[in-house]
PDB file of all heavy atoms in Angstrom:
ATOM      1  N   SER B 254      -8.356   2.547 -14.162  1.00  0.00           N
ATOM      2  CA  SER B 254      -8.804   3.917 -13.762  1.00  0.00           C
ATOM      3  C   SER B 254      -7.668   4.805 -13.463  1.00  0.00           C
ATOM      4  O   SER B 254      -6.592   4.290 -12.896  1.00  0.00           O
ATOM      5  CB  SER B 254      -9.665   3.832 -12.530  1.00  0.00           C
ATOM      6  OG  SER B 254      -9.946   5.046 -11.969  1.00  0.00           O
ATOM      7  N   THR B 255      -7.734   6.032 -13.804  1.00  0.00           N
ATOM      8  CA  THR B 255      -6.645   6.983 -13.501  1.00  0.00           C
ATOM      9  C   THR B 255      -7.146   7.923 -12.398  1.00  0.00           C
ATOM     10  O   THR B 255      -6.559   8.981 -12.123  1.00  0.00           O
ATOM     11  CB  THR B 255      -6.236   7.797 -14.708  1.00  0.00           C
ATOM     12  OG1 THR B 255      -7.428   8.387 -15.272  1.00  0.00           O
ATOM     13  CG2 THR B 255      -5.576   6.862 -15.748  1.00  0.00           C
ATOM     14  N   LEU B 256      -8.272   7.546 -11.773  1.00  0.00           N
ATOM     15  CA  LEU B 256      -8.898   8.517 -10.785  1.00  0.00           C
ATOM     16  C   LEU B 256      -8.318   8.225  -9.421  1.00  0.00           C
ATOM     17  O   LEU B 256      -8.135   7.117  -8.949  1.00  0.00           O
ATOM     18  CB  LEU B 256     -10.420   8.366 -10.761  1.00  0.00           C
ATOM     19  CG  LEU B 256     -11.159   8.523 -12.078  1.00  0.00           C
ATOM     20  CD1 LEU B 256     -12.571   7.984 -12.097  1.00  0.00           C
ATOM     21  CD2 LEU B 256     -11.086  10.009 -12.554  1.00  0.00           C
ATOM     22  N   ARG B 257      -8.055   9.300  -8.651  1.00  0.00           N
ATOM     23  CA  ARG B 257      -7.609   9.174  -7.290  1.00  0.00           C
ATOM     24  C   ARG B 257      -8.673   8.501  -6.419  1.00  0.00           C
ATOM     25  O   ARG B 257      -8.410   7.876  -5.439  1.00  0.00           O
ATOM     26  CB  ARG B 257      -7.079  10.443  -6.791  1.00  0.00           C
ATOM     27  CG  ARG B 257      -6.408  10.403  -5.521  1.00  0.00           C
ATOM     28  CD  ARG B 257      -5.259  11.347  -5.465  1.00  0.00           C
ATOM     29  NE  ARG B 257      -4.540  11.164  -4.300  1.00  0.00           N
ATOM     30  CZ  ARG B 257      -3.442  11.776  -3.907  1.00  0.00           C
ATOM     31  NH1 ARG B 257      -3.033  12.880  -4.649  1.00  0.00           N
ATOM     32  NH2 ARG B 257      -2.758  11.602  -2.882  1.00  0.00           N
ATOM     33  N   LYS B 258      -9.927   8.900  -6.682  1.00  0.00           N
ATOM     34  CA  LYS B 258     -11.027   8.391  -5.881  1.00  0.00           C
ATOM     35  C   LYS B 258     -12.040   7.757  -6.785  1.00  0.00           C
ATOM     36  O   LYS B 258     -12.521   8.416  -7.692  1.00  0.00           O
ATOM     37  CB  LYS B 258     -11.658   9.573  -5.168  1.00  0.00           C
ATOM     38  CG  LYS B 258     -10.782  10.115  -3.980  1.00  0.00           C
ATOM     39  CD  LYS B 258     -11.594  11.352  -3.351  1.00  0.00           C
ATOM     40  CE  LYS B 258     -11.038  11.753  -2.047  1.00  0.00           C
ATOM     41  NZ  LYS B 258     -11.715  12.952  -1.652  1.00  0.00           N
ATOM     42  N   ASN B 259     -12.526   6.598  -6.463  1.00  0.00           N
ATOM     43  CA  ASN B 259     -13.506   5.922  -7.281  1.00  0.00           C
ATOM     44  C   ASN B 259     -14.142   4.873  -6.333  1.00  0.00           C
ATOM     45  O   ASN B 259     -13.729   3.693  -6.331  1.00  0.00           O
ATOM     46  CB  ASN B 259     -12.866   5.300  -8.523  1.00  0.00           C
ATOM     47  CG  ASN B 259     -13.932   4.625  -9.394  1.00  0.00           C
ATOM     48  OD1 ASN B 259     -15.176   4.862  -9.254  1.00  0.00           O
ATOM     49  ND2 ASN B 259     -13.492   3.868 -10.356  1.00  0.00           N
ATOM     50  N   ASN B 260     -15.311   5.269  -5.743  1.00  0.00           N
ATOM     51  CA  ASN B 260     -16.004   4.326  -4.797  1.00  0.00           C
ATOM     52  C   ASN B 260     -17.200   3.731  -5.473  1.00  0.00           C
ATOM     53  O   ASN B 260     -18.279   3.909  -5.021  1.00  0.00           O
ATOM     54  CB  ASN B 260     -16.344   5.033  -3.493  1.00  0.00           C
ATOM     55  CG  ASN B 260     -15.330   4.943  -2.464  1.00  0.00           C
ATOM     56  OD1 ASN B 260     -14.293   4.283  -2.646  1.00  0.00           O
ATOM     57  ND2 ASN B 260     -15.493   5.703  -1.366  1.00  0.00           N
ATOM     58  N   THR B 261     -17.025   3.020  -6.549  1.00  0.00           N
ATOM     59  CA  THR B 261     -18.046   2.381  -7.300  1.00  0.00           C
ATOM     60  C   THR B 261     -17.935   0.893  -7.241  1.00  0.00           C
ATOM     61  O   THR B 261     -17.413   0.262  -8.244  1.00  0.00           O
ATOM     62  CB  THR B 261     -18.293   2.905  -8.743  1.00  0.00           C
ATOM     63  OG1 THR B 261     -17.058   2.809  -9.415  1.00  0.00           O
ATOM     64  CG2 THR B 261     -18.722   4.431  -8.736  1.00  0.00           C
ATOM     65  N   GLY B 262     -18.221   0.280  -6.169  1.00  0.00           N
ATOM     66  CA  GLY B 262     -18.207  -1.148  -5.991  1.00  0.00           C
ATOM     67  C   GLY B 262     -16.845  -1.654  -5.417  1.00  0.00           C
ATOM     68  O   GLY B 262     -15.929  -0.875  -5.042  1.00  0.00           O
ATOM     69  N   TYR B 263     -16.792  -2.987  -5.215  1.00  0.00           N
ATOM     70  CA  TYR B 263     -15.615  -3.609  -4.679  1.00  0.00           C
ATOM     71  C   TYR B 263     -14.404  -3.285  -5.348  1.00  0.00           C
ATOM     72  O   TYR B 263     -14.299  -3.218  -6.648  1.00  0.00           O
ATOM     73  CB  TYR B 263     -15.766  -5.174  -4.724  1.00  0.00           C
ATOM     74  CG  TYR B 263     -17.077  -5.669  -4.050  1.00  0.00           C
ATOM     75  CD1 TYR B 263     -18.010  -6.315  -4.742  1.00  0.00           C
ATOM     76  CD2 TYR B 263     -17.285  -5.514  -2.713  1.00  0.00           C
ATOM     77  CE1 TYR B 263     -19.286  -6.744  -4.176  1.00  0.00           C
ATOM     78  CE2 TYR B 263     -18.490  -5.922  -2.077  1.00  0.00           C
ATOM     79  CZ  TYR B 263     -19.390  -6.555  -2.804  1.00  0.00           C
ATOM     80  OH  TYR B 263     -20.580  -6.987  -2.267  1.00  0.00           O
ATOM     81  N   ASP B 264     -13.330  -2.974  -4.587  1.00  0.00           N
ATOM     82  CA  ASP B 264     -12.043  -2.558  -5.247  1.00  0.00           C
ATOM     83  C   ASP B 264     -11.300  -3.820  -5.652  1.00  0.00           C
ATOM     84  O   ASP B 264     -10.253  -4.244  -4.932  1.00  0.00           O
ATOM     85  CB  ASP B 264     -11.268  -1.725  -4.241  1.00  0.00           C
ATOM     86  CG  ASP B 264     -10.140  -0.978  -4.855  1.00  0.00           C
ATOM     87  OD1 ASP B 264      -9.941  -1.103  -6.089  1.00  0.00           O
ATOM     88  OD2 ASP B 264      -9.473  -0.142  -4.103  1.00  0.00           O
ATOM     89  N   LEU B 265     -11.727  -4.429  -6.698  1.00  0.00           N
ATOM     90  CA  LEU B 265     -11.218  -5.714  -7.158  1.00  0.00           C
ATOM     91  C   LEU B 265      -9.701  -5.684  -7.450  1.00  0.00           C
ATOM     92  O   LEU B 265      -8.962  -6.688  -7.309  1.00  0.00           O
ATOM     93  CB  LEU B 265     -11.968  -6.312  -8.271  1.00  0.00           C
ATOM     94  CG  LEU B 265     -13.407  -6.683  -7.986  1.00  0.00           C
ATOM     95  CD1 LEU B 265     -14.138  -7.181  -9.283  1.00  0.00           C
ATOM     96  CD2 LEU B 265     -13.506  -7.719  -6.840  1.00  0.00           C
TER      97      LEU B 265
END
Side-chain angles (χ1 to χ4, degrees):
Chain B
S254 168
T255 56
L256 304 167
R257 188 142 188 183
K258 289 176 166 176
N259 182 13
N260 270 354
T261 52
Y263 303 117
D264 195 359
L265 294 178

